[in-house]
Structure formats: structure tokens, C-alpha cells
Amino acid sequence: MGELIGSGIILLGSVFLFSAGLGVLRMPDAYNRIQTGTKATTLGTMLVLLGLAVLHPAWTWKLLILMFFVLLTNPVSSHALARAAHRIHTPEADETVVDQLEEEEQKAAAAAREDSA
Amino acid sequence: MIRRLLIFVTLLLTAAIFARLALNYTEHTQLSKLATHYAGQGPAELGAPNLVTAVVVTYRGLDTLGEVTVLFISAAGVGLMLRRRQQVAVEAEDKKPSSEIVVTAAQLLLPMVFLFGVYVFVNGHLSPGGGFQGGAIIAAGSLLLLLTLPGAELRQRLIAVTESLSGFGYVVIGVLGVILAGGFLDNRIMSLGTYGTLFSAGAIPIIYTLVGLKVGAELSAVLGRFRDTGEQ
């Protein structure tokens, strides 16, 4: 029974990982691709590790540490990537509606100009 | 046309080379004489469950010393070639700082990365891994530090001292092996302890700790030098 549950969780995780790969191929611009490559892989990897923990209860603590590591590094590294892409003005898709980082930077620049004036 | 033909001929020739390899291949059904000795006597002689480590650190210890030397020479070469711009360290102010998220995560991660590196080389005689791998992980931690905190400086002098002392200690243990036990880098200068525990396998954990420190310090120094000369 435990084996069945564990395998099911791993399968669910691999579905998320597959959708992440699909998203990287299908999404229109760099930011969207980073986004799919982060959210879906974080959940997918964690589900796979969770399934492994069900299959091999003895590994649980090590797998928990791995999960924590993935949960911490995956979003942060994609955050850094996306910021770097934004800084070198990687083009956005035409459908993009809002760019809050750009707005914020312009606000900061305007405030700096007012200060100096 | 000619290009296509050339590609085709190259592919054929490559295939011929690999075909000979594949056709003449016969699987070894038993270990060679030396391997049989290592696999059969190794754990009993040296007390290390990880046979790869036993071979790398003791049976073939002299080779490992050579590898460490090669690494040292390449690190020294990088230092020599990238010497020029030592003083021109104005930079860093016009650069935008890393975002708060990145800085916080790096501060959380750094100790864990270093700890994991230490874990890998301290457990080299028990589980996969060892001095070189642990050292590389430590250097990866240094790289994380250099990337996320552009203002941070590696303390080159401390690194150089660590590296020299651990290299020196490595050779001293090797010579102690000649004096007290069966030969250069023999690990039986200390008791073998209980098979499979952390403090066992004689001098192997000490040797691998020294190798790990040395490799980590060397690679970190190389990374730091690249960073310092890359800022123009």
C-alpha cells in the first residue's frame, strides 16, 4: 500500500516536471519561461522527494533537507536570473500588461531627480 | 557537395574506430589479480568501507600527492598570470547591489554549503566523496559568496596559509607512514578503530581532511583572483 501511495506521489511530481518542460518550450518570453521553470519544478521535485520518503522511510530526514534546499534555492536563483534579465532589458512578450519593477525603478529615479533639483 | 562527402567520410571513419572497439570487447567476468587483492584484503587491511578512498588515499597515495601538486601548480600559475591588476580595486560602487532576497538566501545557504563540504571530506572513507569533492563544494560556497556579495573580499593570506599548512601536513603524514608503518602514506600509523565508524580507518580521515582543506582553499583562491582581475 505504501509503495502504491509513494509511486503515485512520484508520478504526480513527474507530471508537474513535465508541465514545466512544456512551459519552457511554449511560453512567449524569458520571464514567463523562468516562471514556469521555477514554480512547477519546485513543486514537482518536492513531490518526487516526498514520494521517495514514503517509499523509503529511512531516508526521510535526508530527503527533508533536500526539500528545504530546493525550496530555498530554486525561487531565489530564478529571482536573480529574472532580475538580471530585466536589468539588461531582455524584451518582454507583446501581451505583457504590467511591469512593476520598471515602474518602481522609474519612481525611484524620479524621486532622485526631485531631490537633486 | 564536397563538404557533405567529407562529413560522410569522417563519420564512416569514426564508426570504423568505434566498431573495432565494440567488436573486440569482451566482458571481464572476474577481477584482475590486483583488483581481487584490493577488494578482498582492502577492508581488512585498511579498515575503510569505501574501497575507492582506500585505493586513492593509501594504495595509490603517491599518485594523489601528484594530483594535489598539479592542482597547486595550476593555482599558482593562475595567480602568477593574473597578478597585474592587484591594486586597481576602486570598483564596486557603481554596481547595483544584489537584491535583498538574494543576499538573505546566500547568508542562509553559505554555512550549509561549507558544512556539507566538510561532511563530504570527513566521511570520505565511509561514503562516496572525499577530499577533492568536498574541496570543490567548499569552493562552490566561495563562488556563491563572490557572486552574491560583490563587496566581499576573500582573505587571500588566510587562504594561502591554510593551503600551505594542509599541504605540509599531508606530506608529514606520508613520511610518518614510512617511519611508523609500511610505507609512504600508509594509514596504519593510528589504530584502525571500529570498522564503519567516523573515527576509523587509521589516518585516512585526517589525510582527506587535509586534502579537502587544500583543494577548497586553492580553488577559492583561483576564483577570487579571477574576480579581482575581471573587474575592469
Side-chain angles (χ1 to χ4, degrees):
Chain A
M1 191 61 202
E3 205 164 309
L4 197 68
I5 295 173
S7 310
I9 297 175
I10 291 180
L11 187 70
L12 191 65
S14 50
V15 168
F16 278 102
L17 287 175
F18 174 76
S19 68
L22 196 68
V24 169
L25 283 177
R26 296 276 297 155
M27 283 295 178
D29 67 356
Y31 306 102
N32 282 306
R33 275 181 231 132
I34 289 172
Q35 188 264 131
T36 44
T38 307
K39 274 189 197 168
T41 53
T42 310
L43 184 59
T45 314
M46 288 179 66
L47 281 176
V48 169
L49 293 175
L50 189 71
L52 276 176
V54 175
L55 285 182
H56 301 273
W59 298 355
T60 306
W61 288 108
K62 283 185 185 179
L63 291 170
L64 270 180
I65 294 174
L66 278 179
M67 273 189 224
F68 175 70
F69 187 76
V70 170
L71 193 63
L72 184 66
T73 53
N74 217 351
V76 170
S77 54
S78 71
H79 157 81
L81 275 177
R83 241 170 87 101
H86 190 269
R87 192 166 292 171
I88 60 170
H89 305 294
T90 307
E92 291 162 1
D94 296 334
E95 298 91 331
T96 306
V97 185
V98 59
D99 182 348
Q100 288 183 325
L101 182 55
E102 186 68 46
E103 284 167 20
E104 201 148 298
E105 274 173 6
Q106 275 171 5
K107 222 183 280 171
R113 248 179 282 132
E114 241 165 64
D115 278 353
S116 64
Chain B
M1 181 61 204
I2 288 183
R3 214 183 128 191
R4 272 221 182 140
L5 199 70
L6 272 178
I7 291 175
F8 189 67
V9 170
T10 316
L11 278 178
L12 265 187
L13 287 176
T14 318
I17 293 170
F18 282 103
R20 280 188 49 190
L21 276 180
L23 290 178
N24 292 336
Y25 178 73
T26 47
E27 203 174 337
H28 289 291
T29 46
Q30 54 194 29
L31 296 171
S32 68
K33 212 172 148 196
L34 188 64
T36 314
H37 177 80
Y38 285 164
Q41 305 296 317
E45 268 181 15
L46 306 177
N50 182 355
L51 210 55
V52 177
T53 297
V55 173
V56 168
V57 176
T58 54
Y59 290 129
R60 298 273 167 211
L62 200 59
D63 295 3
T64 308
L65 184 63
E67 282 162 29
V68 171
T69 314
V70 168
L71 202 61
F72 171 73
I73 291 172
S74 53
V78 168
L80 206 65
M81 283 195 218
L82 298 182
R83 205 60 192 267
R84 291 163 291 138
R85 290 187 62 263
Q86 204 69 301
Q87 301 302 326
V88 198
V90 202
E91 35 54 39
E93 277 143 38
D94 54 331
K95 280 185 187 160
K96 283 195 184 176
S98 305
S99 78
E100 200 182 334
I101 298 175
V102 172
V103 173
T104 312
Q107 283 167 348
L108 254 172
L109 266 180
L110 263 178
M112 292 201 292
V113 173
F114 284 131
L115 186 68
F116 182 58
V118 172
Y119 172 87
V120 166
F121 65 64
V122 167
N123 283 284
H125 58 302
L126 301 176
S127 56
F132 291 93
Q133 294 87 336
I137 292 171
I138 287 181
S142 308
L143 182 62
L144 180 68
L145 177 76
L146 292 173
L147 279 177
T148 51
L149 310 170
E153 282 293 328
L154 292 180
R155 292 175 63 182
Q156 295 281 2
R157 171 138 318 166
L158 181 74
I159 288 177
V161 169
T162 313
E163 190 207 320
S164 312
L165 281 183
S166 49
F168 181 69
Y170 182 34
V171 177
V172 165
I173 288 180
V175 174
L176 277 181
V178 176
I179 299 169
L180 300 175
F184 189 68
L185 281 173
D186 195 323
N187 71 328
R188 286 165 294 182
I189 55 177
M190 300 157 65
S191 88
L192 290 185
T194 319
Y195 182 78
T197 54
L198 185 58
F199 295 102
S200 68
I204 288 182
I206 298 175
I207 294 174
Y208 248 2
T209 303
L210 293 173
V211 172
L213 285 176
K214 188 167 165 58
V215 171
E218 257 160 13
L219 293 179
S220 302
V222 168
L223 291 171
R225 290 214 177 95
F226 273 127
R227 207 274 303 258
D228 289 344
T229 46
E231 284 173 347
Q232 252 163 357

